[in-house]
Structure formats: structure tokens, C-alpha cells
Amino acid sequence: MVRKTSLTPDAAAETCSAIGVECLAFAARRTANVISRAYAARLAPFGLEPSQFGVLVVVAAGRADSARELADRLSIERSTLTRNLTRLLEADLLVGAPGKGRRITYSLTAAGHAKLAEALPAWRAAQDALQAQLAPGSAERARASLAELRGAAKEMLTAD
């Protein structure tokens, strides 16, 4: 159970300053926003946002048999996935086909494969440029820490 607290303006400012420093959600969001903008700049000439590129990559890799699995794999809300799927379907980069039960399975169209192939060098350039700014081994440690954090957050969600 969460308790309500009453804070003076000074105490609230001090508490909020501490939250800004120690909150994992704030740190992750700030980092994700900056990284997303860096990748967005590289992918923009191809008419793709990083979230759309991610959908194309996961679909091309054959790692999701339904929209739910796709959302889970990307760790995004279904509404965000729906918005991205709609744009990619309208751009004829993806096609949906009936799957098991009520599932819809998505696959890349010829145009989707071409768009992904066209955008991959830009993604690679963004990836290499970002990793070049890091100390040796930092990228691997960051991925491991992010995976651990993501797992802990998923556990927190299922415990509620």
C-alpha cells in the first residue's frame, strides 16, 4: 500500500531533486530519448522512425507470430504497436495474414525488404558511431544492465 505524505515546498523540492538523481525510470527515459533521437536522425532519410525500424527488424527476424508477441518482443504498449503497424501497413512495408486462431501474422512485403535493406547501413552507422563514443566493453555491459533492469521491471509488473 502506498501512503500519502504531506510535504512543505522545500521538502518537496528536495525530494524531487533526489528522485531526479536516483529514479531508474527517469534515467532510462532520458537515455532512451537521446539515443532514439540519434538513431532517428540517421533513419529519417528513409522515412522510418526508430520504433518502425524495430518492428521491421523483429518481423524480418521471424521472432513474433502475433501482434501480442511483437509488442512483448519490442516491450511496447499495444497502442504504440498498433500505430506503428498501421503506418507500416499503409506504406506497404508489411502485410498481415491470418495466423493461428484470431492471430494476425505479419511479414515484410518486397517493399519492406527493400526499405529495411536500404535503412540497415544507416542503422549500422548510428550503432557504430554511438559505440565509438563508449569505452571498450561498455556497450556489452550496458546491454546486460538494461536486460537486467527490463527483467526486474517485468517482474514488478507481474507482482502487482
Side-chain angles (χ1 to χ4, degrees), residues 63-133:
R63 301 239 172 132
D65 290 331
S66 68
R68 181 183 178 136
E69 288 179 22
L70 193 52
D72 288 347
R73 182 83 176 145
L74 294 164
S75 296
I76 60 175
E77 297 294 325
R78 288 287 302 271
S79 60
T80 302
L81 176 63
T82 299
R83 184 173 54 253
N84 284 309
L85 285 174
T86 299
R87 290 176 182 163
L88 294 168
L89 290 163
E90 287 173 354
D92 194 36
L93 301 178
L94 287 181
V95 64
K100 293 180 184 175
R102 297 183 342 188
R103 294 179 179 193
I104 297 175
T105 302
Y106 296 94
S107 58
L108 270 64
T109 62
H113 282 285
K115 181 67 74 175
L116 186 57
E118 188 178 66
L120 279 170
W123 170 83
R124 173 49 63 198
Q127 184 77 359
D128 291 347
L130 183 58
Q131 289 188 143
Q133 298 297 314

Side-chain angles (χ1 to χ4, degrees), residues 4-71:
K4 278 180 108 175
T5 59
S6 178
L7 297 174
T8 65
D10 287 343
E14 185 177 322
T15 299
C16 290
S17 290
I19 288 171
V21 171
E22 68 184 65
C23 181
L24 293 170
F26 280 5
R29 185 164 300 279
R30 283 192 310 265
T31 303
N33 287 340
V34 172
I35 292 171
S36 290
R37 285 196 310 269
Y39 280 80
R42 300 289 177 108
L43 294 170
F46 306 97
L48 292 172
E49 297 172 7
S51 57
Q52 294 166 339
F53 179 80
V55 171
L56 292 177
V57 166
V58 172
V59 169
R63 301 239 172 132
D65 290 331
S66 68
R68 181 183 178 136
E69 288 179 22
L70 193 52

